[in-house]
Amino acid sequence: MAKKWNLNTTGDLTAEPGSAVGLADYPPATPAERLAARPAEYGDQVVPPAPIWYLDTEGDPHSHGVTEPYEFTLFWRSNIGQADADPADSYYMGVAGLQGVGVAGHRITINTTGELHHPGGESSATVNGFWDKTDPEDPVWTAIEPETEYTVTVAAHNQAGEYGPESDELTLTTPAVGYDLRALTLPPLPPQDVDFAAALPVITTSGGGAIQLRWTKIANVTKYEIFDNSARDNTEGMDPSRIGLFESDTKIGEVNQPGSGTTVVTFDTPNYTAPGQPFALKVRAVRTDSNGTAYSAFSPVLRGVIPPSSVAPGQAGAPTLTTTPIVNGQVKLTLTAPTIDSTHGAPAWYAIYDGTRKVTTVNAPLGTAPHVTFTYPYGANYSFTVQAGNSAGTGPASTALTGTVPTPAAPGAPTGVGVTGATPTGFTVNWTAPAGANPPVTSYKVYDGATVKATITAPTTTANLTGYTASTAYSIQVAAVNSVGEGTKSTPAVTGTTPAS
């Protein structure tokens, strides 16, 4: 069993960790023996990874601190994650839940030639100047100036002074002197009275209907962002890449701050297309100026569902196979919504039947195809129909999609085999892929008589054969291969003779 060193103790041990102390058969090693047995890398430190900036809602690096005319504050994450054990090194066991472990300090680089050293493992800093090392022999202290753009990167180092890679670039601009920093660098207030500006839409067309919102304008903001969080469940957490947002928060739009003569902000959501479709709408204010971008907290969530339809849906379109042929028993169906008008309501769900057996239900609105995927046994017959329904009733069944799940087989023979560009030392072979291969063709074997001259990965259907000599006879055939096996060779063989030198 490999020895495990106690790296937390600098003094001598009377016995190695895990050994039986005091037994005649397991005498403790002497200090000299233990020191001699230590690996060459004993006590070596891991070089920290690149620090990570927090991101704004657009996914761009953001300081998440106050930016003033003569200084700015930075926040970042350093060495967060998990260090895995080294399988080739029995002495390094790995560690989980890192948060600045092994980080002895950071180097902050500003505008490429500026530099600051930030000792310790802290992952924030307030910058009011830096050492400009354009001339490394004579660095110059340079103060932060108003109305100036700065590009910043951060790199972490360990106790040995070994630096890891640089972070991504963060760009910020200091504001002009004279700003009311108390009013303009603090986050704006959130809207508190978000409400419906009109009755909720009853879906009477395939295009659906929008929810109309209103709220009172907030002072000193640039725009408002509107999110739908209807997909959130009780187990969902915050999105680590989008500060202030849950994982399922979906931005559905934004509206600019109205002019000075308007006190109310209005917004129409994208159209909702299914009765009973839930929504959970919330709004936040955004201010963007030379101080940077600041976000308010969210408004209270406005929850509800799209009103039910007063009439049942019409007949749904016949389902179709999303991909053909069916491979490995995976039947993938694309559904088609029925017409929606004053006499045919919008579907809230779709029921899929195989014959008289109901196999599944899909909620409206339909997303990206395939909408349904089944696994059927090889050789099974199917007859799929779809019925659209809502709280007012169910529409008639669609036309049936019928067929049989194919049994996997080796592919058929390629066709159209030909030889071109013959020289004394070789030639090019071309062919057409066999139709309807199930499973799909993965490669081709090119034969000269009984000898495989080339193996070509699909979907390429050409091969350059070399290694011939002048006036050599050839007899070319091609076979397709899939996961079942190799299919029959093309016929007839293409014969000929390489040209004379």
Side-chain angles (χ1 to χ4, degrees), residues 234-376:
N234 292 329
T235 63
E236 180 188 60
M238 302 298 291
D239 187 338
S241 67
R242 303 186 300 163
I243 300 300
L245 297 176
F246 287 98
E247 292 175 349
S248 65
D249 279 340
T250 301
K251 184 178 176 181
I252 60 173
E254 58 182 47
V255 57
N256 291 330
Q257 177 81 315
S260 58
T262 304
T263 59
V264 175
V265 186
T266 60
F267 174 77
D268 289 356
T269 69
N271 285 354
Y272 290 79
T273 57
Q277 187 175 353
F279 58 82
L281 304 174
K282 55 184 181 180
V283 181
R284 68 178 178 183
V286 182
R287 182 182 59 247
T288 301
D289 54 23
S290 57
N291 285 301
T293 299
Y295 301 90
S296 77
F298 277 107
S299 67
V301 178
L302 190 62
R303 301 182 185 275
V305 296
I306 300 301
S309 177
S310 58
V311 291
Q315 184 181 35
T320 58
L321 292 175
T322 308
T323 56
T324 56
I326 297 171
V327 177
N328 295 329
Q330 292 288 307
V331 182
K332 300 179 180 181
L333 297 182
T334 298
L335 310 184
T336 302
T339 299
I340 302 171
D341 54 30
S342 59
T343 59
H344 301 95
W349 44 262
Y350 297 86
I352 295 89
Y353 290 83
D354 185 358
T356 59
R357 180 174 64 94
K358 183 177 179 180
V359 289
T360 193
T361 299
V362 177
N363 290 328
L366 295 173
T368 303
H371 304 117
V372 182
T373 300
F374 306 112
T375 300
Y376 267 48

Side-chain angles (χ1 to χ4, degrees), residues 120-479:
E122 291 188 14
S123 54
S124 64
T126 297
V127 178
N128 56 23
F130 54 88
W131 289 104
D132 187 341
K133 294 188 175 182
T134 301
D135 181 356
E137 301 299 323
D138 186 22
V140 177
W141 178 255
T142 303
I144 298 298
E145 295 290 339
E147 299 183 87
T148 304
E149 181 177 278
Y150 294 96
T151 300
V152 184
T153 60
V154 181
H157 68 81
N158 58 21
Q159 292 286 356
E162 299 170 312
Y163 279 92
E166 297 282 340
S167 68
D168 291 338
E169 287 189 347
L170 166 70
T171 301
L172 53 83
T173 302
T174 52
V177 177
Y179 267 120
D180 181 356
L181 296 176
R182 181 180 59 82
L184 294 178
T185 59
L186 294 176
L189 296 173
Q192 293 293 329
D193 59 348
V194 176
D195 204 350
F196 303 117
L200 292 174
V202 176
I203 309 303
T204 57
T205 67
S206 59
I211 299 174
Q212 298 178 336
L213 301 177
R214 63 171 302 282
W215 60 89
T216 302
K217 183 170 73 172
I218 303 296
N220 295 324
V221 302
T222 307
K223 64 181 180 180
Y224 304 86
E225 295 180 337
I226 300 89
F227 289 78
D228 189 336
N229 185 238
S230 57
R232 184 188 173 199
D233 59 35
N234 292 329
T235 63
E236 180 188 60
M238 302 298 291
D239 187 338
S241 67
R242 303 186 300 163
I243 300 300
L245 297 176
F246 287 98
E247 292 175 349
S248 65
D249 279 340
T250 301
K251 184 178 176 181
I252 60 173
E254 58 182 47
V255 57
N256 291 330
Q257 177 81 315
S260 58
T262 304
T263 59
V264 175
V265 186
T266 60
F267 174 77
D268 289 356
T269 69
N271 285 354
Y272 290 79
T273 57
Q277 187 175 353
F279 58 82
L281 304 174
K282 55 184 181 180
V283 181
R284 68 178 178 183
V286 182
R287 182 182 59 247
T288 301
D289 54 23
S290 57
N291 285 301
T293 299
Y295 301 90
S296 77
F298 277 107
S299 67
V301 178
L302 190 62
R303 301 182 185 275
V305 296
I306 300 301
S309 177
S310 58
V311 291
Q315 184 181 35
T320 58
L321 292 175
T322 308
T323 56
T324 56
I326 297 171
V327 177
N328 295 329
Q330 292 288 307
V331 182
K332 300 179 180 181
L333 297 182
T334 298
L335 310 184
T336 302
T339 299
I340 302 171
D341 54 30
S342 59
T343 59
H344 301 95
W349 44 262
Y350 297 86
I352 295 89
Y353 290 83
D354 185 358
T356 59
R357 180 174 64 94
K358 183 177 179 180
V359 289
T360 193
T361 299
V362 177
N363 290 328
L366 295 173
T368 303
H371 304 117
V372 182
T373 300
F374 306 112
T375 300
Y376 267 48
Y378 302 137
N381 297 320
Y382 56 81
S383 180
F384 294 119
T385 57
V386 180
Q387 283 185 283
N390 59 28
S391 59
T394 303
S398 70
T399 303
L401 170 67
T402 60
T404 302
V405 177
T407 301
T415 58
V417 179
V419 171
T420 60
T423 68
T425 59
F427 46 84
T428 299
V429 181
N430 301 282
W431 63 91
T432 300
N438 183 20
V441 173
T442 56
S443 63
Y444 297 93
K445 292 184 178 180
V446 182
Y447 287 86
D448 185 349
T451 302
V452 176
K453 298 293 288 183
T455 299
I456 305 298
T457 301
T460 302
T461 55
T462 184
N464 295 316
L465 302 189
T466 59
Y468 287 84
T469 58
S471 302
T472 300
Y474 56 79
S475 178
I476 302 300
Q477 292 176 285
V478 181

Side-chain angles (χ1 to χ4, degrees), residues 57-81:
T57 56
E58 305 300 326
D60 297 321
H62 193 280
S63 69
H64 283 275
V66 175
T67 301
E68 300 187 10
Y70 295 103
E71 69 178 26
F72 50 81
T73 302
L74 306 171
F75 293 88
W76 63 87
R77 293 178 289 168
S78 194
N79 205 1
I80 291 178

Side-chain angles (χ1 to χ4, degrees), residues 77-101:
R77 293 178 289 168
S78 194
N79 205 1
I80 291 178
Q82 173 176 315
D84 295 327
D86 184 350
D89 179 1
S90 62
Y91 298 93
Y92 182 59
M93 303 302 293
V95 65
L98 294 178
Q99 173 70 28
V101 173

